Amino acid sequence: MTTTLIRNAELIATFDDAERELRDASLLIRDDRIVAIGSAQEVAAALEAPADEVIDARGHVLLPGLVNTHHHFYQTLTRNLPAGQNAALFDWLVTHYPIWARLDPESLFASSQVAAAELLLSGCTTAADHTYLWPNGARIDDQIAAVSELGLRFHASRGSMSVGESQGGLPPDSVVESEQAILDDTQRAIERYHDAAERAMTRIVVAPCSPFSVSRELMVNSAELARHYGVHLHTHLAETRDEEAYCRERFGCTPVEYAEQVGWVGSDVWFAHMVHPHADEIVRLGGHCCGAAHCPSSNMRLGSGIAPVMAMHQAGMRVGLGVDGSASNDGSHLLAEARQAMLLGRLQGDMDEFSARRMLWFATRGGAAVLGRDDIGQLAVGKAADIIGFRLDSLALAGGALHDPLASLVFCQPPTVDLSIVNGVRRVENGVLLGHDLETMVARHNASASRLVSG
């Protein structure tokens, strides 16, 4: 067994059940889990022999690794596309679909690595991705291989689209799949990759894209498949008013009512966005313990609206944060998303509810709950050793960390991490992603992006 002692941290924000914030504290890791946390004396008592590795965290604030509950890794390839810069969601999608139709294994791999690297440097240690089109031989295997090289804890969604334009859907027919092929490959991915064990590094999610891109039958069959294997379900829902108009015209109900009709409610379900649910729907979804991925930057960028975050949280829904697609956010900085959530939420009038600590709770404990996990999102004995650390003497935090180190991470310009440990393994040290050449990674990614966009 390998032991790592992290000592002398100025502050450890545990986000445990007691919400402890420990000054001048230390933490001990054995292999992939935390075995002691507290004062130097308390942690030393748990050491049976000198630690194999010692990290001096003097002048740092430590907290649990952040949890990203919604993303589209492949969309890093089409950031800032001029034709989509000023488009709302439906027009934005129509602009991007023909480009994404040229996605292939190489571009999926390269984009997944760039997204994972960016997330790790932002403080994220667990991410759920939602890829829903698989053209030209691209497979979920390509993503899992790419992300595993970087060591990010990964919930990989086998997304899907089956209803193209010719059947009244939004995507072009060239990017949809047959529903049997979708179900067969989803089953294959679950059987090959899903790990239900504690501290698992890879889990599979069943994730039809949206009400306007798959059939009712696929929604029902996907839920049955997921529940047979005990995996979670994810889709976009109630993101825009256009979506509600589409659902009313096509299904005769709202998006949330449609989800209820096809059996997509329960503690194994989470939805991306949830910008426009009705008040009574929020109460019903809370009663089912459904989850929501709040994606404020994307919702602002596309002009979708402001999600009723606190209403969902207070109704009993599980709420986490997501950076969403890197072409509808144009970044993958999860700590920055916590800041956006705080600032956007304050426009709704309740300053105390949208505090820095509440937003960090959504980014840690909240995100873990959304993904159905209780082994991450907090620093406590027995939990996974997913730990991030920020220097408090940085330019961005000057004059802010002095007064409240933890809140400065959200109120001030969100920094990149100085330290990131995922499952007990150092992945970022001194602000550098270990074992990977970012210049080479970016060049490979940009080559794929250029090829996709130029056709």
mmCIF file of all heavy atoms in Angstrom, residues 88-91 93 170 208-214 219 235-259 271-278 281 299 304:
data_model
loop_
_atom_site.group_PDB
_atom_site.id
_atom_site.type_symbol
_atom_site.label_atom_id
_atom_site.label_comp_id
_atom_site.label_asym_id
_atom_site.label_seq_id
_atom_site.Cartn_x
_atom_site.Cartn_y
_atom_site.Cartn_z
ATOM 1 N N ALA A 88 -29.404 31.197 -31.294
ATOM 2 C CA ALA A 88 -30.066 30.490 -30.198
ATOM 3 C C ALA A 88 -29.978 28.988 -30.453
ATOM 4 O O ALA A 88 -29.533 28.545 -31.523
ATOM 5 C CB ALA A 88 -31.515 30.935 -30.083
ATOM 6 N N LEU A 89 -30.434 28.175 -29.493
ATOM 7 C CA LEU A 89 -30.132 26.746 -29.487
ATOM 8 C C LEU A 89 -30.474 26.035 -30.789
ATOM 9 O O LEU A 89 -29.615 25.373 -31.385
ATOM 10 C CB LEU A 89 -30.846 26.051 -28.328
ATOM 11 C CG LEU A 89 -30.630 24.524 -28.278
ATOM 12 C CD1 LEU A 89 -29.169 24.188 -28.031
ATOM 13 C CD2 LEU A 89 -31.528 23.888 -27.239
ATOM 14 N N PHE A 90 -31.724 26.106 -31.261
ATOM 15 C CA PHE A 90 -32.101 25.302 -32.420
ATOM 16 C C PHE A 90 -31.288 25.694 -33.652
ATOM 17 O O PHE A 90 -30.806 24.837 -34.397
ATOM 18 C CB PHE A 90 -33.600 25.419 -32.690
ATOM 19 C CG PHE A 90 -34.448 24.479 -31.856
ATOM 20 C CD1 PHE A 90 -33.996 23.982 -30.648
ATOM 21 C CD2 PHE A 90 -35.715 24.091 -32.270
ATOM 22 C CE1 PHE A 90 -34.756 23.120 -29.878
ATOM 23 C CE2 PHE A 90 -36.498 23.221 -31.514
ATOM 24 C CZ PHE A 90 -36.015 22.739 -30.313
ATOM 25 N N ASP A 91 -31.124 26.998 -33.917
ATOM 26 C CA ASP A 91 -30.327 27.437 -35.059
ATOM 27 C C ASP A 91 -28.856 27.085 -34.862
ATOM 28 O O ASP A 91 -28.153 26.735 -35.819
ATOM 29 C CB ASP A 91 -30.469 28.948 -35.257
ATOM 30 C CG ASP A 91 -31.854 29.335 -35.768
ATOM 31 O OD1 ASP A 91 -32.530 28.472 -36.359
ATOM 32 O OD2 ASP A 91 -32.263 30.492 -35.557
ATOM 33 N N LEU A 93 -27.695 24.474 -33.233
ATOM 34 C CA LEU A 93 -27.552 23.050 -33.522
ATOM 35 C C LEU A 93 -27.529 22.789 -35.024
ATOM 36 O O LEU A 93 -26.693 22.023 -35.527
ATOM 37 C CB LEU A 93 -28.688 22.268 -32.870
ATOM 38 C CG LEU A 93 -28.605 22.071 -31.358
ATOM 39 C CD1 LEU A 93 -29.919 21.526 -30.816
ATOM 40 C CD2 LEU A 93 -27.459 21.131 -30.995
ATOM 41 N N LEU A 170 -34.970 17.282 -35.417
ATOM 42 C CA LEU A 170 -34.114 18.420 -35.729
ATOM 43 C C LEU A 170 -32.823 18.024 -36.444
ATOM 44 O O LEU A 170 -32.400 18.701 -37.370
ATOM 45 C CB LEU A 170 -33.786 19.186 -34.435
ATOM 46 C CG LEU A 170 -33.147 20.562 -34.623
ATOM 47 C CD1 LEU A 170 -34.126 21.529 -35.295
ATOM 48 C CD2 LEU A 170 -32.700 21.129 -33.271
ATOM 49 N N PRO A 208 -30.102 9.053 -24.421
ATOM 50 C CA PRO A 208 -30.703 9.629 -25.629
ATOM 51 C C PRO A 208 -30.617 11.159 -25.574
ATOM 52 O O PRO A 208 -30.740 11.746 -24.506
ATOM 53 C CB PRO A 208 -32.151 9.150 -25.564
ATOM 54 C CG PRO A 208 -32.103 7.923 -24.708
ATOM 55 C CD PRO A 208 -31.030 8.169 -23.701
ATOM 56 N N CYS A 209 -30.420 11.791 -26.710
ATOM 57 C CA CYS A 209 -30.057 13.204 -26.702
ATOM 58 C C CYS A 209 -31.138 14.116 -26.135
ATOM 59 O O CYS A 209 -30.881 14.895 -25.227
ATOM 60 C CB CYS A 209 -29.688 13.647 -28.119
ATOM 61 S SG CYS A 209 -29.200 15.378 -28.206
ATOM 62 N N SER A 210 -32.363 14.035 -26.698
ATOM 63 C CA SER A 210 -33.378 15.022 -26.338
ATOM 64 C C SER A 210 -34.727 14.603 -26.907
ATOM 65 O O SER A 210 -34.792 13.750 -27.798
ATOM 66 C CB SER A 210 -33.002 16.397 -26.908
ATOM 67 O OG SER A 210 -32.987 16.336 -28.331
ATOM 68 N N PRO A 211 -35.808 15.233 -26.446
ATOM 69 C CA PRO A 211 -37.132 14.880 -26.987
ATOM 70 C C PRO A 211 -37.277 15.155 -28.481
ATOM 71 O O PRO A 211 -38.122 14.539 -29.127
ATOM 72 C CB PRO A 211 -38.083 15.766 -26.181
ATOM 73 C CG PRO A 211 -37.361 16.049 -24.908
ATOM 74 C CD PRO A 211 -35.912 16.149 -25.299
ATOM 75 N N PHE A 212 -36.451 16.064 -29.021
ATOM 76 C CA PHE A 212 -36.598 16.399 -30.440
ATOM 77 C C PHE A 212 -35.623 15.641 -31.334
ATOM 78 O O PHE A 212 -35.451 15.975 -32.497
ATOM 79 C CB PHE A 212 -36.458 17.914 -30.665
ATOM 80 C CG PHE A 212 -35.260 18.555 -30.027
ATOM 81 C CD1 PHE A 212 -34.019 18.507 -30.623
ATOM 82 C CD2 PHE A 212 -35.385 19.222 -28.816
ATOM 83 C CE1 PHE A 212 -32.923 19.093 -30.042
ATOM 84 C CE2 PHE A 212 -34.288 19.814 -28.214
ATOM 85 C CZ PHE A 212 -33.051 19.756 -28.834
ATOM 86 N N SER A 213 -34.975 14.605 -30.796
ATOM 87 C CA SER A 213 -34.024 13.863 -31.640
ATOM 88 C C SER A 213 -34.098 12.349 -31.470
ATOM 89 O O SER A 213 -33.346 11.632 -32.131
ATOM 90 C CB SER A 213 -32.599 14.333 -31.356
ATOM 91 O OG SER A 213 -32.264 14.162 -29.994
ATOM 92 N N VAL A 214 -34.983 11.849 -30.605
ATOM 93 C CA VAL A 214 -35.181 10.400 -30.474
ATOM 94 C C VAL A 214 -36.684 10.117 -30.368
ATOM 95 O O VAL A 214 -37.476 11.004 -30.061
ATOM 96 C CB VAL A 214 -34.454 9.803 -29.245
ATOM 97 C CG1 VAL A 214 -32.960 10.050 -29.321
ATOM 98 C CG2 VAL A 214 -35.018 10.337 -27.951
ATOM 99 N N MET A 219 -36.843 6.193 -25.917
ATOM 100 C CA MET A 219 -36.800 6.660 -24.525
ATOM 101 C C MET A 219 -37.230 5.549 -23.576
ATOM 102 O O MET A 219 -36.573 5.287 -22.548
ATOM 103 C CB MET A 219 -37.698 7.886 -24.352
ATOM 104 C CG MET A 219 -37.224 9.135 -25.081
ATOM 105 S SD MET A 219 -35.693 9.833 -24.428
ATOM 106 C CE MET A 219 -36.280 10.602 -22.913
ATOM 107 N N THR A 235 -30.468 13.006 -20.096
ATOM 108 C CA THR A 235 -30.886 13.633 -21.344
ATOM 109 C C THR A 235 -31.017 15.130 -21.131
ATOM 110 O O THR A 235 -31.007 15.621 -19.993
ATOM 111 C CB THR A 235 -32.223 13.042 -21.858
ATOM 112 O OG1 THR A 235 -32.445 13.457 -23.211
ATOM 113 C CG2 THR A 235 -33.397 13.499 -21.007
ATOM 114 N N HIS A 236 -31.130 15.878 -22.239
ATOM 115 C CA HIS A 236 -31.458 17.299 -22.163
ATOM 116 C C HIS A 236 -32.955 17.444 -21.932
ATOM 117 O O HIS A 236 -33.743 16.702 -22.530
ATOM 118 C CB HIS A 236 -31.107 18.011 -23.470
ATOM 119 C CG HIS A 236 -29.658 17.966 -23.840
ATOM 120 N ND1 HIS A 236 -29.109 16.940 -24.577
ATOM 121 C CD2 HIS A 236 -28.648 18.826 -23.579
ATOM 122 C CE1 HIS A 236 -27.829 17.178 -24.765
ATOM 123 N NE2 HIS A 236 -27.515 18.307 -24.165
ATOM 124 N N LEU A 237 -33.353 18.429 -21.142
ATOM 125 C CA LEU A 237 -34.784 18.634 -20.925
ATOM 126 C C LEU A 237 -35.069 20.072 -20.526
ATOM 127 O O LEU A 237 -34.341 20.669 -19.732
ATOM 128 C CB LEU A 237 -35.303 17.689 -19.835
ATOM 129 C CG LEU A 237 -36.822 17.466 -19.868
ATOM 130 C CD1 LEU A 237 -37.213 16.563 -21.044
ATOM 131 C CD2 LEU A 237 -37.321 16.863 -18.561
ATOM 132 N N ALA A 238 -36.157 20.606 -21.106
ATOM 133 C CA ALA A 238 -36.685 21.933 -20.753
ATOM 134 C C ALA A 238 -35.615 23.012 -20.870
ATOM 135 O O ALA A 238 -35.558 23.933 -20.063
ATOM 136 C CB ALA A 238 -37.284 21.909 -19.344
ATOM 137 N N GLU A 239 -34.794 22.912 -21.909
ATOM 138 C CA GLU A 239 -33.702 23.874 -22.065
ATOM 139 C C GLU A 239 -34.168 25.202 -22.625
ATOM 140 O O GLU A 239 -33.689 26.265 -22.216
ATOM 141 C CB GLU A 239 -32.606 23.281 -22.962
ATOM 142 C CG GLU A 239 -31.398 24.184 -23.116
ATOM 143 C CD GLU A 239 -30.269 23.542 -23.906
ATOM 144 O OE1 GLU A 239 -30.402 22.364 -24.316
ATOM 145 O OE2 GLU A 239 -29.241 24.207 -24.116
ATOM 146 N N THR A 240 -35.101 25.169 -23.595
ATOM 147 C CA THR A 240 -35.565 26.395 -24.240
ATOM 148 C C THR A 240 -37.084 26.383 -24.398
ATOM 149 O O THR A 240 -37.728 25.340 -24.312
ATOM 150 C CB THR A 240 -34.943 26.551 -25.645
ATOM 151 O OG1 THR A 240 -35.442 25.511 -26.495
ATOM 152 C CG2 THR A 240 -33.417 26.477 -25.581
ATOM 153 N N ARG A 241 -37.623 27.549 -24.667
ATOM 154 C CA ARG A 241 -39.070 27.634 -24.946
ATOM 155 C C ARG A 241 -39.403 26.974 -26.284
ATOM 156 O O ARG A 241 -40.514 26.461 -26.466
ATOM 157 C CB ARG A 241 -39.512 29.099 -24.925
ATOM 158 C CG ARG A 241 -39.315 29.760 -23.564
ATOM 159 C CD ARG A 241 -40.079 31.058 -23.441
ATOM 160 N NE ARG A 241 -39.759 31.743 -22.200
ATOM 161 C CZ ARG A 241 -40.241 31.427 -20.999
ATOM 162 N NH1 ARG A 241 -41.099 30.429 -20.893
ATOM 163 N NH2 ARG A 241 -39.891 32.111 -19.922
ATOM 164 N N ASP A 242 -38.451 26.982 -27.219
ATOM 165 C CA ASP A 242 -38.669 26.286 -28.495
ATOM 166 C C ASP A 242 -38.900 24.793 -28.254
ATOM 167 O O ASP A 242 -39.718 24.158 -28.936
ATOM 168 C CB ASP A 242 -37.454 26.454 -29.417
ATOM 169 C CG ASP A 242 -37.363 27.849 -30.007
ATOM 170 O OD1 ASP A 242 -38.371 28.576 -29.981
ATOM 171 O OD2 ASP A 242 -36.266 28.210 -30.490
ATOM 172 N N GLU A 243 -38.185 24.221 -27.299
ATOM 173 C CA GLU A 243 -38.349 22.804 -26.987
ATOM 174 C C GLU A 243 -39.755 22.532 -26.458
ATOM 175 O O GLU A 243 -40.384 21.522 -26.818
ATOM 176 C CB GLU A 243 -37.311 22.364 -25.949
ATOM 177 C CG GLU A 243 -37.411 20.901 -25.562
ATOM 178 C CD GLU A 243 -36.469 20.518 -24.430
ATOM 179 O OE1 GLU A 243 -35.407 21.154 -24.295
ATOM 180 O OE2 GLU A 243 -36.801 19.585 -23.671
ATOM 181 N N GLU A 244 -40.256 23.421 -25.616
ATOM 182 C CA GLU A 244 -41.614 23.220 -25.109
ATOM 183 C C GLU A 244 -42.634 23.301 -26.239
ATOM 184 O O GLU A 244 -43.573 22.501 -26.299
ATOM 185 C CB GLU A 244 -41.964 24.229 -24.013
ATOM 186 C CG GLU A 244 -43.402 24.106 -23.561
ATOM 187 C CD GLU A 244 -43.642 24.544 -22.130
ATOM 188 O OE1 GLU A 244 -42.682 24.639 -21.357
ATOM 189 O OE2 GLU A 244 -44.814 24.776 -21.794
ATOM 190 N N ALA A 245 -42.439 24.269 -27.144
ATOM 191 C CA ALA A 245 -43.359 24.391 -28.274
ATOM 192 C C ALA A 245 -43.324 23.137 -29.134
ATOM 193 O O ALA A 245 -44.369 22.640 -29.592
ATOM 194 C CB ALA A 245 -42.999 25.622 -29.106
ATOM 195 N N TYR A 246 -42.124 22.589 -29.350
ATOM 196 C CA TYR A 246 -41.977 21.356 -30.134
ATOM 197 C C TYR A 246 -42.711 20.200 -29.449
ATOM 198 O O TYR A 246 -43.451 19.436 -30.096
ATOM 199 C CB TYR A 246 -40.491 21.026 -30.292
ATOM 200 C CG TYR A 246 -40.213 19.733 -31.022
ATOM 201 C CD1 TYR A 246 -40.004 19.713 -32.397
ATOM 202 C CD2 TYR A 246 -40.157 18.521 -30.337
ATOM 203 C CE1 TYR A 246 -39.745 18.521 -33.073
ATOM 204 C CE2 TYR A 246 -39.905 17.327 -31.003
ATOM 205 C CZ TYR A 246 -39.699 17.335 -32.371
ATOM 206 O OH TYR A 246 -39.456 16.150 -33.022
ATOM 207 N N CYS A 247 -42.518 20.047 -28.149
ATOM 208 C CA CYS A 247 -43.150 18.938 -27.427
ATOM 209 C C CYS A 247 -44.671 19.066 -27.409
ATOM 210 O O CYS A 247 -45.390 18.066 -27.533
ATOM 211 C CB CYS A 247 -42.597 18.861 -26.004
ATOM 212 S SG CYS A 247 -40.907 18.228 -25.905
ATOM 213 N N ARG A 248 -45.156 20.268 -27.242
ATOM 214 C CA ARG A 248 -46.615 20.458 -27.234
ATOM 215 C C ARG A 248 -47.215 20.112 -28.592
ATOM 216 O O ARG A 248 -48.282 19.494 -28.679
ATOM 217 C CB ARG A 248 -46.958 21.890 -26.836
ATOM 218 C CG ARG A 248 -46.750 22.184 -25.354
ATOM 219 C CD ARG A 248 -47.311 23.539 -24.967
ATOM 220 N NE ARG A 248 -47.115 23.849 -23.576
ATOM 221 C CZ ARG A 248 -47.880 23.422 -22.563
ATOM 222 N NH1 ARG A 248 -48.917 22.617 -22.834
ATOM 223 N NH2 ARG A 248 -47.638 23.777 -21.322
ATOM 224 N N GLU A 249 -46.514 20.510 -29.664
ATOM 225 C CA GLU A 249 -47.024 20.231 -31.004
ATOM 226 C C GLU A 249 -46.926 18.749 -31.347
ATOM 227 O O GLU A 249 -47.859 18.174 -31.913
ATOM 228 C CB GLU A 249 -46.241 21.056 -32.033
ATOM 229 C CG GLU A 249 -46.698 20.816 -33.468
ATOM 230 C CD GLU A 249 -45.911 21.637 -34.477
ATOM 231 O OE1 GLU A 249 -45.166 22.547 -34.075
ATOM 232 O OE2 GLU A 249 -46.051 21.350 -35.690
ATOM 233 N N ARG A 250 -45.807 18.112 -30.975
ATOM 234 C CA ARG A 250 -45.562 16.734 -31.395
ATOM 235 C C ARG A 250 -46.163 15.716 -30.433
ATOM 236 O O ARG A 250 -46.672 14.673 -30.845
ATOM 237 C CB ARG A 250 -44.057 16.489 -31.529
ATOM 238 C CG ARG A 250 -43.713 15.134 -32.148
ATOM 239 C CD ARG A 250 -42.238 15.068 -32.494
ATOM 240 N NE ARG A 250 -41.860 13.790 -33.074
ATOM 241 C CZ ARG A 250 -41.948 13.485 -34.368
ATOM 242 N NH1 ARG A 250 -42.427 14.386 -35.225
ATOM 243 N NH2 ARG A 250 -41.573 12.296 -34.811
ATOM 244 N N PHE A 251 -46.105 16.013 -29.121
ATOM 245 C CA PHE A 251 -46.536 15.044 -28.120
ATOM 246 C C PHE A 251 -47.768 15.476 -27.335
ATOM 247 O O PHE A 251 -48.324 14.683 -26.566
ATOM 248 C CB PHE A 251 -45.395 14.757 -27.128
ATOM 249 C CG PHE A 251 -44.098 14.370 -27.771
ATOM 250 C CD1 PHE A 251 -42.949 15.115 -27.545
ATOM 251 C CD2 PHE A 251 -44.009 13.269 -28.612
ATOM 252 C CE1 PHE A 251 -41.739 14.771 -28.117
ATOM 253 C CE2 PHE A 251 -42.803 12.916 -29.199
ATOM 254 C CZ PHE A 251 -41.664 13.671 -28.959
ATOM 255 N N GLY A 252 -48.147 16.733 -27.480
ATOM 256 C CA GLY A 252 -49.321 17.229 -26.760
ATOM 257 C C GLY A 252 -49.079 17.454 -25.277
ATOM 258 O O GLY A 252 -50.017 17.397 -24.474
ATOM 259 N N CYS A 253 -47.829 17.726 -24.895
ATOM 260 C CA CYS A 253 -47.505 17.917 -23.484
ATOM 261 C C CYS A 253 -46.209 18.705 -23.364
ATOM 262 O O CYS A 253 -45.527 18.971 -24.357
ATOM 263 C CB CYS A 253 -47.370 16.567 -22.778
ATOM 264 S SG CYS A 253 -46.063 15.510 -23.468
ATOM 265 N N THR A 254 -45.858 19.080 -22.150
ATOM 266 C CA THR A 254 -44.599 19.777 -21.921
ATOM 267 C C THR A 254 -43.439 18.769 -21.909
ATOM 268 O O THR A 254 -43.666 17.556 -21.796
ATOM 269 C CB THR A 254 -44.609 20.507 -20.567
ATOM 270 O OG1 THR A 254 -44.593 19.529 -19.514
ATOM 271 C CG2 THR A 254 -45.831 21.401 -20.429
ATOM 272 N N PRO A 255 -42.200 19.251 -21.995
ATOM 273 C CA PRO A 255 -41.059 18.320 -21.915
ATOM 274 C C PRO A 255 -41.047 17.489 -20.639
ATOM 275 O O PRO A 255 -40.760 16.281 -20.681
ATOM 276 C CB PRO A 255 -39.846 19.256 -21.993
ATOM 277 C CG PRO A 255 -40.331 20.424 -22.794
ATOM 278 C CD PRO A 255 -41.754 20.612 -22.363
ATOM 279 N N VAL A 256 -41.342 18.092 -19.497
ATOM 280 C CA VAL A 256 -41.336 17.337 -18.241
ATOM 281 C C VAL A 256 -42.459 16.312 -18.236
ATOM 282 O O VAL A 256 -42.268 15.157 -17.809
ATOM 283 C CB VAL A 256 -41.436 18.286 -17.029
ATOM 284 C CG1 VAL A 256 -41.642 17.486 -15.734
ATOM 285 C CG2 VAL A 256 -40.175 19.141 -16.921
ATOM 286 N N GLU A 257 -43.635 16.677 -18.701
ATOM 287 C CA GLU A 257 -44.732 15.708 -18.776
ATOM 288 C C GLU A 257 -44.365 14.537 -19.687
ATOM 289 O O GLU A 257 -44.701 13.381 -19.398
ATOM 290 C CB GLU A 257 -45.999 16.402 -19.281
ATOM 291 C CG GLU A 257 -46.605 17.360 -18.263
ATOM 292 C CD GLU A 257 -47.695 18.232 -18.870
ATOM 293 O OE1 GLU A 257 -47.748 18.361 -20.118
ATOM 294 O OE2 GLU A 257 -48.500 18.794 -18.093
ATOM 295 N N TYR A 258 -43.658 14.835 -20.767
ATOM 296 C CA TYR A 258 -43.211 13.781 -21.675
ATOM 297 C C TYR A 258 -42.242 12.838 -20.958
ATOM 298 O O TYR A 258 -42.353 11.602 -21.071
ATOM 299 C CB TYR A 258 -42.550 14.418 -22.897
ATOM 300 C CG TYR A 258 -41.982 13.441 -23.895
ATOM 301 C CD1 TYR A 258 -42.817 12.633 -24.661
ATOM 302 C CD2 TYR A 258 -40.602 13.324 -24.065
ATOM 303 C CE1 TYR A 258 -42.289 11.732 -25.587
ATOM 304 C CE2 TYR A 258 -40.072 12.432 -24.989
ATOM 305 C CZ TYR A 258 -40.916 11.638 -25.740
ATOM 306 O OH TYR A 258 -40.397 10.746 -26.646
ATOM 307 N N ALA A 259 -41.304 13.397 -20.209
ATOM 308 C CA ALA A 259 -40.361 12.561 -19.455
ATOM 309 C C ALA A 259 -41.106 11.658 -18.472
ATOM 310 O O ALA A 259 -40.767 10.474 -18.314
ATOM 311 C CB ALA A 259 -39.351 13.443 -18.717
ATOM 312 N N PHE A 271 -31.287 15.433 -15.587
ATOM 313 C CA PHE A 271 -31.547 16.203 -16.793
ATOM 314 C C PHE A 271 -30.567 17.365 -16.889
ATOM 315 O O PHE A 271 -30.222 17.994 -15.885
ATOM 316 C CB PHE A 271 -32.975 16.772 -16.777
ATOM 317 C CG PHE A 271 -34.048 15.746 -16.591
ATOM 318 C CD1 PHE A 271 -34.843 15.755 -15.446
ATOM 319 C CD2 PHE A 271 -34.283 14.765 -17.542
ATOM 320 C CE1 PHE A 271 -35.844 14.809 -15.268
ATOM 321 C CE2 PHE A 271 -35.279 13.820 -17.372
ATOM 322 C CZ PHE A 271 -36.063 13.846 -16.228
ATOM 323 N N ALA A 272 -30.151 17.671 -18.113
ATOM 324 C CA ALA A 272 -29.326 18.852 -18.346
ATOM 325 C C ALA A 272 -30.214 20.065 -18.568
ATOM 326 O O ALA A 272 -31.225 19.988 -19.262
ATOM 327 C CB ALA A 272 -28.432 18.639 -19.560
ATOM 328 N N HIS A 273 -29.852 21.161 -17.928
ATOM 329 C CA HIS A 273 -30.409 22.507 -18.112
ATOM 330 C C HIS A 273 -31.628 22.786 -17.238
ATOM 331 O O HIS A 273 -31.559 23.587 -16.318
ATOM 332 C CB HIS A 273 -30.695 22.805 -19.583
ATOM 333 C CG HIS A 273 -29.485 22.705 -20.430
ATOM 334 N ND1 HIS A 273 -28.430 23.567 -20.321
ATOM 335 C CD2 HIS A 273 -29.123 21.796 -21.385
ATOM 336 C CE1 HIS A 273 -27.473 23.223 -21.157
ATOM 337 N NE2 HIS A 273 -27.872 22.149 -21.820
ATOM 338 N N MET A 274 -32.773 22.233 -17.544
ATOM 339 C CA MET A 274 -33.986 22.492 -16.756
ATOM 340 C C MET A 274 -34.200 23.990 -16.545
ATOM 341 O O MET A 274 -34.441 24.475 -15.441
ATOM 342 C CB MET A 274 -33.907 21.753 -15.420
ATOM 343 C CG MET A 274 -33.976 20.248 -15.528
ATOM 344 S SD MET A 274 -35.566 19.669 -16.176
ATOM 345 C CE MET A 274 -36.643 20.121 -14.822
ATOM 346 N N VAL A 275 -34.167 24.722 -17.643
ATOM 347 C CA VAL A 275 -34.340 26.171 -17.575
ATOM 348 C C VAL A 275 -35.809 26.559 -17.470
ATOM 349 O O VAL A 275 -36.159 27.530 -16.790
ATOM 350 C CB VAL A 275 -33.705 26.840 -18.820
ATOM 351 C CG1 VAL A 275 -33.928 28.350 -18.798
ATOM 352 C CG2 VAL A 275 -32.209 26.524 -18.881
ATOM 353 N N HIS A 276 -36.703 25.778 -18.103
ATOM 354 C CA HIS A 276 -38.102 26.188 -18.202
ATOM 355 C C HIS A 276 -39.100 25.146 -17.687
ATOM 356 O O HIS A 276 -40.168 24.956 -18.296
ATOM 357 C CB HIS A 276 -38.427 26.536 -19.656
ATOM 358 C CG HIS A 276 -37.639 27.687 -20.188
ATOM 359 N ND1 HIS A 276 -37.830 28.989 -19.767
ATOM 360 C CD2 HIS A 276 -36.618 27.715 -21.094
ATOM 361 C CE1 HIS A 276 -36.987 29.786 -20.406
ATOM 362 N NE2 HIS A 276 -36.233 29.047 -21.209
ATOM 363 N N PRO A 277 -38.830 24.480 -16.566
ATOM 364 C CA PRO A 277 -39.891 23.632 -16.000
ATOM 365 C C PRO A 277 -40.937 24.501 -15.321
ATOM 366 O O PRO A 277 -40.638 25.623 -14.865
ATOM 367 C CB PRO A 277 -39.133 22.795 -14.962
ATOM 368 C CG PRO A 277 -38.037 23.706 -14.503
ATOM 369 C CD PRO A 277 -37.620 24.488 -15.722
ATOM 370 N N HIS A 278 -42.159 24.008 -15.250
ATOM 371 C CA HIS A 278 -43.211 24.723 -14.531
ATOM 372 C C HIS A 278 -43.120 24.398 -13.044
ATOM 373 O O HIS A 278 -42.550 23.380 -12.637
ATOM 374 C CB HIS A 278 -44.573 24.351 -15.106
ATOM 375 C CG HIS A 278 -44.724 24.730 -16.557
ATOM 376 N ND1 HIS A 278 -45.105 25.988 -16.961
ATOM 377 C CD2 HIS A 278 -44.514 24.017 -17.703
ATOM 378 C CE1 HIS A 278 -45.139 26.042 -18.276
ATOM 379 N NE2 HIS A 278 -44.780 24.863 -18.759
ATOM 380 N N GLU A 281 -44.209 21.084 -11.880
ATOM 381 C CA GLU A 281 -43.331 20.022 -12.382
ATOM 382 C C GLU A 281 -42.087 19.888 -11.507
ATOM 383 O O GLU A 281 -41.601 18.773 -11.267
ATOM 384 C CB GLU A 281 -42.945 20.324 -13.827
ATOM 385 C CG GLU A 281 -44.136 20.281 -14.784
ATOM 386 C CD GLU A 281 -43.791 20.708 -16.187
ATOM 387 O OE1 GLU A 281 -42.775 21.434 -16.382
ATOM 388 O OE2 GLU A 281 -44.527 20.329 -17.123
ATOM 389 N N ASN A 299 -26.344 28.507 -20.854
ATOM 390 C CA ASN A 299 -27.695 29.081 -20.910
ATOM 391 C C ASN A 299 -27.655 30.573 -21.219
ATOM 392 O O ASN A 299 -28.541 31.094 -21.903
ATOM 393 C CB ASN A 299 -28.418 28.833 -19.593
ATOM 394 C CG ASN A 299 -28.670 27.362 -19.333
ATOM 395 O OD1 ASN A 299 -28.646 26.544 -20.245
ATOM 396 N ND2 ASN A 299 -28.891 27.010 -18.081
ATOM 397 N N SER A 304 -30.833 31.113 -23.458
ATOM 398 C CA SER A 304 -31.905 30.174 -23.121
ATOM 399 C C SER A 304 -32.724 30.611 -21.917
ATOM 400 O O SER A 304 -33.905 30.284 -21.815
ATOM 401 C CB SER A 304 -31.307 28.784 -22.859
ATOM 402 O OG SER A 304 -30.596 28.322 -23.984
#
